[in-house]
Amino acid sequence: MRIVVSEFMDERAVAQLGAGHDVLYDPGLVDDAARLRAEAAGADALVVRSRTQVRGELLAALARCRVVGRLGVGLDNIDLAGCAARGMQVFPATGANAASVAEYVVATAMLLLRGAYGATRQVAAGGWPREALGQGREIGGKTLGIVGFGAIGQLSATFARALGMQVLAHDALLAADDAAYARGGVARVGLDELLRRADVVSLHLPLRESTRGLFGAARLAAMKPGAVLINTARGGIVDEAALAAALRSGRLGGAALDVFDVEPLPVAPHFEGCPNLLLTPHIAGVTAESNERVSFMVAAKVLEALR
């Protein structure tokens, strides 16, 4: 059978797919829409990451496809109802990149709270900003607020508690008595209370109509003064311009964005000169180890489905 892989994948997992099937592996295929549609027409399985939009013209082109493998967990780039209507199964790599994202959350929280790691050029040039950088904050004793308490949020809570943080969580879709809260030593609270109390707010929500623009100017203003925001979920959840304004005003103490409303992020003048801002290109869940786990998990699911 024909398997098309339109974005990067561990090449050993690609070889596993190719052991019994005809595989087209081209990580740049996502950027050539016409060729992607042409190749999709003959595909029995399609493997994608977050940038390939399995909807509209591409979905229509998948005339004989039976399986879509998602190298990650978010599914907002896939028309799930459209796939189901065509009899196509969709397999995400649930849990395979949770550790990578949780490590990113804790590491970035430490960087943003401490605020001391951007001085290399100044120190090497003979500067000595010891007084200016001596007011950083420790992570121990701070409160982490997790919005969206799925597998990644739960593991982030475990890592944070190991560093001495208190953890609050809000998840509108998780039952109030779900064992995950007690198991993780996490207090379940409403979103307003979480924002009022948390020194660090980390987002782990899917992008839906109900979450698009959830963190706009009003909600950012409701956060604890000096708090930091980390978004590894989906870019459309946070109003980028409002976030930049909150950082410039000093209302927020820092932010890390790994995801953006448009990816790749175009030139973004609203971010120029923002203090204590970290921008990364949607790689929180991508490490050498997680890429291996994600790739082999998806390869196994695709092969099983094709069998």
Side-chain angles (χ1 to χ4, degrees), residues 66-143:
R66 295 164 48 190
V67 185
V68 177
R70 167 69 170 93
L71 297 163
V73 293
L75 295 171
D76 54 285
N77 61 312
I78 299 174
D79 180 351
L80 296 176
C83 289
R86 291 169 172 267
M88 294 160 52
Q89 296 177 279
V90 178
F91 295 107
T94 305
N97 65 355
S100 299
V101 180
E103 286 187 5
Y104 177 102
V105 169
V106 171
T108 358
M110 295 178 79
L111 284 167
L112 293 170
L113 287 171
R114 191 66 182 266
Y117 300 103
T120 299
R121 183 175 298 179
Q122 189 176 357
V123 172
W128 200 248
R130 194 163 186 260
E131 184 175 350
L133 298 180
Q135 300 302 310
R137 294 172 285 173
E138 297 176 358
I139 200 168
K142 298 298 184 296
T143 298

Side-chain angles (χ1 to χ4, degrees), residues 141-209:
K142 298 298 184 296
T143 298
L144 171 65
I146 297 175
V147 185
F149 201 53
I152 294 174
Q154 291 171 29
L155 190 56
S156 298
T158 298
F159 289 177
R161 279 176 50 80
L163 291 168
M165 298 190 84
Q166 298 176 4
V167 182
L168 311 174
H170 171 78
D171 193 318
L173 301 179
L174 199 61
D177 60 352
D178 193 286
Y181 295 111
R183 186 168 58 244
V186 173
R188 179 185 179 273
V189 297
L191 182 55
D192 290 342
E193 181 179 351
L194 183 148
L195 297 180
R196 187 172 62 251
R197 293 173 54 187
D199 301 288
V200 179
V201 174
S202 186
L203 307 184
H204 302 281
L205 299 164
L207 180 61
R208 298 173 175 157
E209 284 308 309

Side-chain angles (χ1 to χ4, degrees), residues 111-115 137 199 223-229 246-247 250-255 275-277:
L111 284 167
L112 293 170
L113 287 171
R114 191 66 182 266
R137 294 172 285 173
D199 301 288
M223 290 175 61
K224 183 177 181 179
V228 302
L229 178 68
L247 289 170
R251 184 70 179 72
L252 289 186
N276 212 21
L277 173 65

Side-chain angles (χ1 to χ4, degrees), residues 6 10 71 83 169 222 261 277 280:
S6 64
D10 187 290
L71 297 163
C83 289
D261 196 27
L277 173 65
T280 52

